[in-house]
Amino acid sequence: MHSSCLTCHTSFFCRKNDITGIIHNTFTVEQHLFGELQSYDLKPGGSLEEVTELNKKEYVRLYVTWRFMRGIEIQFSHLQKGFHELISQHLLRPFDERELELIISGLGKIDTEDWKQNTRLKHCTPESNIVKWFWAIVNSFDEEKRARLLQFVTGSCRVPLQGFKALQGSTGAAGPRLFTIHQVDAPTNNLPKAHTCFNRVDIPPYESYEKMLDKLTCAVEETCGFAVE
């Protein structure tokens, strides 16, 4: 299993289950480096502290941070150095990471009908207001905004060659992970929340199309869209 998939799977399991008598970890993480398995403390004295039901949230937070940041710091610094040899750093400063992906990958035409036909609905139906308004909003967007919306929910602005039916998640589960619209019982002043590992967007039951358009646009343009369950 890819390390990022394993990270999502581990954090999901820990947060959703009582780990007493199941997980016998300490606050450490292991990684293969040049053919050798090395162990690193997630916190000072981490090798001496066991993970329990009471401290598992701290463990998940430190574990995810290490896997996605500290654990790839050396590799990323070399990649960054090579990238900056090709493109000067000052030329990249005006762009955030999502804009940079769009510049590098370009804009492909998104088939909205294929998107709609291969979308899973959770706690809502095709006749629910948020579903009808979601597709109305998608149809009102130009290609760049559609790509940004897709990027917000799935982590990528690109559609697989086989179409939306072949979207993959990053939880380690086999098979495709369809784009999912999930109506949640949350205050309608909240923004929609994306779970990129699951290709799912959580949408409160907004009272009007205009409010949903405003909230969804704000979420897509101002937030990163990543959440760990």
Side-chain angles (χ1 to χ4, degrees), residues 40-84:
Y40 302 88
D41 283 1
L42 294 174
K43 58 188 290 189
S47 60
L48 303 176
E49 182 175 349
E50 291 189 0
V51 179
T52 67
E53 182 66 18
L54 294 177
N55 63 20
K56 68 179 184 180
K57 288 185 179 180
E58 180 188 14
Y59 171 74
V60 167
R61 178 178 58 80
L62 293 173
Y63 182 83
V64 170
T65 299
W66 197 94
R67 283 295 184 190
F68 285 105
M69 298 178 68
R70 289 176 55 200
I72 60 170
E73 189 173 1
I74 296 175
Q75 297 92 323
F76 181 77
S77 65
H78 289 298
L79 175 64
Q80 185 181 47
K81 180 181 178 182
F83 190 77
H84 287 158

Side-chain angles (χ1 to χ4, degrees), residues 122-167:
K122 186 175 181 181
H123 297 161
C124 54
T125 72
E127 298 306 313
S128 299
N129 282 335
I130 68 157
V131 176
K132 292 189 290 186
W133 293 340
F134 180 86
W135 296 119
I137 291 169
V138 168
N139 289 328
S140 73
F141 281 173
D142 58 22
E143 289 296 341
E144 180 180 354
K145 286 186 177 180
R146 288 174 187 168
R148 281 184 172 275
L149 173 58
L150 182 63
Q151 187 180 49
F152 169 68
V153 180
T154 69
S156 174
C157 62
R158 307 295 291 180
V159 181
L161 291 176
Q162 304 94 325
F164 279 89
K165 66 181 179 182
L167 274 181

Side-chain angles (χ1 to χ4, degrees), residues 11 13-14 32 35 59 62 68 85 93 96 98 110 124 129 155 171 176 186-187 190 195 204 209 212 218:
S11 58
F13 180 85
C14 285
H32 285 278
Y59 171 74
L62 293 173
F68 285 105
E85 287 178 357
R93 288 197 181 108
D96 62 26
R98 293 168 294 169
I110 295 177
C124 54
N129 282 335
T171 62
N190 289 7
H195 300 265
Y209 169 86
M212 180 168 165
C218 182

